[in-house]
Amino acid sequence: MRQAAPTGWRVIREIGVQVPDGNLIPDLTVLRPGAPRGRMWAEPANIALVLEVESTGSRRHDRFTKPALYAEAGIPHYWRVERGDFGPVTYRYRLGKGDHYELLGTIGPDDAVTVDEPWTMRLDPSAWPH
């Protein structure tokens, strides 16, 4: 994602995100152009996308708790990456009406696709670490 990011967009690992009644730390956070630099916590208004890489220990939290809190905070896109038997599977969500995410699509380990969020880019999960 960093290589595909247009000028001004930032992809940051493990920055804190302020959500209602607390804070979360996604695996990746995409900050919009103009977002303040040098901060440990990001405001939801400055975030275009959060991404979680699911593990056995984080499965329930990444599938239910975190997306509900990110949606309540108004973060427009949420992606969850699962480590499948044949490679990574990415679930892409967009914030819908009523503070919940709607599934945009799933990208399998052999599905090279072009996505439009948060910018237009080509994703090829077969090139990602397994």
Side-chain angles (χ1 to χ4, degrees):
M1 289 185 79
R2 280 189 182 124
Q3 294 171 346
T7 302
W9 290 86
R10 288 181 287 145
V11 179
I12 299 177
R13 289 189 57 210
E14 301 177 347
I15 187 173
V17 173
Q18 295 176 337
V19 296
D21 299 322
N23 300 300
L24 295 172
I25 301 175
D27 292 312
L28 283 179
T29 302
V30 176
L31 296 176
R32 299 175 186 278
R37 293 183 173 271
R39 299 211 174 155
M40 294 177 55
W41 298 97
E43 296 284 337
N46 293 319
I47 299 171
L49 167 79
V50 290
L51 181 144
E52 297 288 355
V53 178
E54 187 177 288
S55 66
T56 305
S58 70
R59 182 178 220 162
R60 175 170 280 155
H61 202 51
D62 291 342
R63 288 187 181 193
F64 302 108
T65 306
K66 283 186 169 187
L69 291 169
Y70 293 142
E72 189 177 345
I75 296 170
H77 293 96
Y78 171 73
W79 291 4
R80 188 182 78 248
V81 179
E82 294 180 7
R83 297 176 190 208
D85 292 337
F86 301 102
V89 177
T90 303
Y91 296 85
R92 299 171 28 246
Y93 298 91
R94 172 183 53 214
L95 189 60
K97 294 181 182 178
D99 291 338
H100 72 277
Y101 286 110
E102 300 169 345
L103 183 65
L104 283 175
T106 304
I107 304 169
D110 296 321
D111 300 333
V113 298
T114 299
V115 299
D116 292 324
E117 73 281 348
W119 56 78
T120 302
M121 70 181 124
R122 185 94 173 136
L123 297 177
D124 184 3
S126 67
W128 300 350
H130 290 235

